[in-house]
Amino acid sequence: MKTLKTDILVLGSGIAGLSFAIKAAKLGKVCIATKAACAESNTRLAQGGIASVQGKDDSFKSHIQDTLTAGAGHCDISAVEMVVKKAPKMIDELYQMGVKFNLSEKNTLDLGKEGGHSHNRIVHVEDRSGMAVENILLKKARENKNITFYEYHFAIDFVKKNKKCTGAIVWDIKNNVDIFFNSKITVLATGGAGQVYKTTTNPPIATGDGIAMAYNADVKISDMEFVQFHPTSLFHPKANGFLISEALRGFGAELSNKDGKPFMNQYHEKGSLAPRDVVSRAIFNEMKKNKTECMYLNATLLDSDSLKKNFPSIYNTCLGLGIDITKQLIPIIPAAHYICGGVKTNLHGQTSLDRLFALGEVSCTGLHGANRLASNSLLEGLVFADAAINFIKKNFIKLENIDENEILDINFNKKPLKTNIQISKLENKIRETMWKFVGIVRKAEGLKKAELILNEIEKSINLLLLNYKKNQELIELRNLLITSKIITSAAIKRKHSLGTHFIIGNQ
Ligand SMILES: Cc1cc2nc3c(=O)[nH]c(=O)nc-3n(C[C@H](O)[C@H](O)[C@H](O)COP(=O)(O)OP(=O)(O)OC[C@H]3O[C@@H](n4cnc5c(N)ncnc54)[C@H](O)[C@@H]3O)c2cc1C
């Protein structure tokens, strides 16, 4: 197998991978391997923005408390304090790089409000904050001579020697060859796993690859039972899980039934701006009670010009699908949105495997606990990338690449799969199973059932892996299965409800 030596290997080109790579390029040569086009990421889709204390009436104490409250007592307080206190510096860095955050009439940062936040503290670029940040980070990274991009390069597994990570096997999809990227430091920044569920706001790249790679390498994974379901994804056959940002509720839109009658006040004192898990369960409950396929978000009472100005993506996307949000109710359903757990790290982003770091959504830093506070995750990617660099740079000079013996080609002697029909069927079965039994409201017997079904699916997948040459769909199927099994077994172990893990019935 071809070997490519580098100082630092970054897997993934979302906010975590890119912000790390830009700083790491001061230390040495950085390779970024990313499985699709560079901009394909959860980051690109983020709408609301980045939480950061800015206003005079706000305080770190309040942001910390809101994060801890959302996390249901399961957060690591030191991670929360670190992230909240570094937020203004991170915003300033992005601003200096050229991210044009919205400004208020007084020329200060315009601050939006989202569920669970006691103050207006969401720094944003209209309702396309993620895209704005991703574009600037990509531009900066591309301009940097020490960074080389490998697009359509799919990381498959880590390579270990003497209990150290020595790099990763990455498949060059277009040329159909495997490459061993041999690195002094490897950074896992492959994002989330929303695709394990039938309904998700995540793009197709979010197949839990990093979680599966960590699992295969015996790297510690934690808190996977905590899956956040976003209450309001657009319900429309052509919507592909399009998100109706919480910022719209922060702006005054209210959840309602089909007649525009609000229902959230029966569930929580904060009404439509209650924490996400509460809102998702309320919608789920109302749908069951009313035997409907969706509920609605009512923005028709808001000023239509302000709506169009502040939410251009939402307005235009809905209009393109025949829904004028200034005049019509928006049909919504909850969708899998964010995996609070992941590859366990310390405050430097270090994993349990030496020389392997995990950053961003793939990691479990302790910030989110049992439920993520809105707009804390882009921030987490930035802060932990910064913390990892500060840690790595102290020891970097002493590090050498660790040579490997020859790595065997896993495709040796295998035939190609003629069609992907069987893969699609198995994928759909995983997604249906996870949605039905390991979703918003869980039951002990449902979780056990999911475990049995996933075990059966595993047998079929193992046969495919044994007999056929790999292709992207097959490896993603492997990763979806591993991630689903980890979520399910973590959910089985946690007998009582906590945060996003809501369990009823025989406990
Ligand atoms: C619709 C939507 C709206 C959101 N809104 C907000 C918001 O307003 N504020 C907020 O804080 N958070 C928001 N989030 C969450 C936030 O966007 C993500 O948590 C964050 O962007 C994750 O960044 P990341 O760099 O860890 O991963 P990503 O941005 O997902 O990047 C992962 C990268 O890894 C690559 N990759 C994956 N697997 C492999 C592999 N096997 N090999 C190589 N490369 C691989 C992908 O192609 C991608 O480039 C939102 C999420 C969604 C889906």
Side-chain angles (χ1 to χ4, degrees):
M1 187 182 299
K2 179 174 155 188
T3 297
L4 216 153
K5 265 194 184 180
T6 182
D7 292 319
I8 295 169
L9 171 64
V10 176
L11 303 173
S13 53
I15 193 166
L18 290 175
S19 60
F20 175 86
I22 292 166
K23 291 179 179 174
K26 290 192 182 125
L27 300 178
K29 288 220 164 301
V30 180
C31 290
I32 302 181
T34 191
K35 77 173 176 182
C38 285
E40 268 314 308
S41 57
N42 272 357
T43 300
R44 185 177 66 90
L45 297 184
Q47 297 178 351
I50 306 176
S52 167
V53 171
Q54 301 280 340
K56 284 206 180 73
D57 58 337
D58 198 359
S59 66
F60 289 146
K61 198 173 161 204
S62 166
H63 188 182
I64 289 168
Q65 189 52 54
D66 290 344
T67 304
L68 295 175
T69 305
H74 196 67
C75 303
D76 175 343
I77 178 95
S78 41
V80 177
E81 284 183 349
M82 178 174 101
V83 170
V84 166
K85 288 180 182 170
K86 275 198 177 177
K89 179 174 173 259
M90 297 296 112
I91 296 295
D92 193 48
E93 282 184 11
L94 289 177
Y95 188 72
Q96 299 301 334
M97 278 189 207
V99 178
K100 292 194 167 37
F101 291 116
N102 282 29
L103 299 177
S104 68
E105 281 161 9
K106 290 181 189 152
N107 224 22
T108 54
L109 288 168
D110 184 55
L111 302 173
K113 187 154 191 230
E114 292 192 352
H117 287 276
S118 308
H119 293 275
N120 284 43
R121 61 168 78 101
I122 314 300
V123 181
H124 64 106
V125 182
E126 290 159 358
D127 61 350
R128 44 179 195 87
S129 307
M131 178 86 85
V133 171
E134 177 79 14
N135 287 346
I136 291 288
L137 290 177
L138 265 178
K139 182 169 172 281
K140 289 280 162 200
R142 282 195 171 115
E143 284 166 5
N144 196 309
K145 290 203 170 60
N146 254 0
I147 298 178
T148 312
F149 277 95
Y150 292 84
E151 279 186 313
Y152 301 99
H153 278 62
F154 187 114
I156 295 177
D157 274 314
F158 295 118
V159 181
K160 295 196 290 185
K161 193 172 188 180
N162 303 334
K163 297 189 177 160
K164 289 179 172 46
C165 181
T166 60
I169 297 177
V170 175
W171 179 38
D172 172 352
I173 300 172
K174 287 192 170 163
N175 295 308
N176 194 15
V177 286
D178 286 331
I179 304 172
F180 168 44
F181 278 82
N182 179 217
S183 51
K184 296 175 185 170
I185 294 284
T186 304
V187 173
L188 181 65
T190 47
Q195 289 293 334
V196 301
Y197 286 94
K198 189 178 92 176
T199 308
T200 178
T201 61
N202 289 192
I205 52 103
T207 47
D209 298 354
I211 303 285
M213 289 171 73
Y215 175 83
N216 286 342
D218 283 330
V219 179
K220 198 168 173 206
I221 294 167
S222 189
D223 290 358
M224 289 292 287
E225 65 274 39
F226 302 116
V227 179
Q228 183 175 79
F229 291 84
H230 197 289
T232 53
S233 80
L234 182 60
F235 181 71
H236 187 283
K238 291 191 180 150
N240 284 334
F242 180 75
L243 187 83
I244 306 294
S245 166
E246 196 155 318
L248 192 57
R249 278 175 279 139
F251 203 69
E254 273 206 278
L255 287 158
S256 75
N257 67 11
K258 67 177 177 9
D259 303 316
K261 191 168 166 233
F263 59 83
M264 270 311 298
N265 285 338
Q266 301 160 39
Y267 291 92
H268 197 277
E269 65 200 13
K270 287 190 176 164
S272 290
L273 280 175
R276 285 184 180 172
D277 57 323
V278 177
V279 182
S280 290
R281 283 197 295 276
I283 295 172
F284 183 80
N285 197 38
E286 289 291 314
M287 279 163 53
K288 248 178 125 178
K289 218 166 72 185
N290 295 295
K291 297 194 174 74
T292 51
E293 282 187 300
C294 66
M295 294 309 282
Y296 296 86
L297 190 61
N298 185 357
T300 60
L301 302 175
L302 307 176
D303 176 63
S304 65
D305 287 339
S306 307
L307 263 182
K308 289 179 203 167
K309 182 168 164 262
N310 286 288
F311 301 97
S313 304
I314 294 178
Y315 174 75
N316 288 317
T317 303
C318 290
L319 199 62
L321 295 171
I323 306 158
D324 181 347
I325 67 167
T326 65
K327 298 193 181 96
Q328 290 165 277
L329 301 180
I330 311 168
I332 50 90
I333 46 162
H337 186 56
Y338 187 86
I339 307 284
C340 300
V343 180
K344 185 80 189 137
T345 75
N346 63 13
L347 291 184
H348 311 300
Q350 269 181 307
T351 69
S352 62
L353 177 61
D354 197 12
R355 297 190 181 202
L356 176 68
F357 290 72
L359 303 174
E361 189 163 341
V362 74
S363 67
C364 175
T365 63
L367 171 69
H368 308 301
N371 191 9
R372 175 184 73 117
L373 182 66
S375 286
N376 262 357
S377 46
L378 292 171
L379 178 60
E380 180 189 43
L382 293 167
V383 171
F384 272 85
D386 190 61
I389 280 294
N390 289 335
F391 178 78
I392 291 166
K393 73 179 173 202
K394 288 183 197 141
N395 305 305
F396 193 72
I397 199 111
K398 294 183 220 143
L399 295 180
E400 292 288 336
N401 290 68
I402 302 171
D403 286 334
E404 280 293 338
N405 304 329
E406 199 187 339
I407 296 169
L408 293 179
D409 179 359
I410 60 166
N411 275 332
F412 183 69
N413 232 355
K414 289 182 188 170
K415 52 192 175 202
L417 256 170
K418 286 206 181 92
T419 78
N420 282 334
I421 294 175
Q422 200 185 349
I423 293 180
S424 303
K425 274 191 187 158
L426 291 168
E427 241 177 48
N428 288 338
K429 200 160 175 197
I430 293 175
R431 292 186 174 128
E432 296 275 352
T433 304
M434 292 300 285
W435 186 250
K436 193 164 171 196
F437 299 117
V438 200
I440 300 169
V441 176
R442 300 164 178 179
K443 290 183 184 163
E445 64 270 25
L447 293 174
K448 280 279 173 205
K449 197 163 183 179
E451 192 176 47
L452 290 176
I453 298 172
L454 292 172
N455 285 342
E456 281 307 307
I457 296 174
E458 186 172 32
K459 289 180 195 158
S460 311
I461 295 178
N462 283 345
L463 279 178
L464 289 173
L465 287 166
L466 194 70
N467 292 315
Y468 293 98
K469 270 193 203 308
K470 69 169 174 290
N471 63 25
Q472 181 164 356
E473 289 76 12
L474 184 52
I475 299 295
E476 284 181 343
L477 178 66
R478 174 200 80 168
N479 297 343
L480 287 171
L481 177 87
I482 292 174
T483 308
S484 300
K485 285 191 71 174
I486 298 172
I487 295 172
T488 306
S489 81
I492 288 173
K493 281 190 197 120
R494 191 169 292 281
K495 304 284 180 211
H496 300 283
S497 297
L498 186 70
T500 58
H501 173 68
F502 190 76
I503 185 156
I504 55 169
N506 304 333
Q507 292 190 23

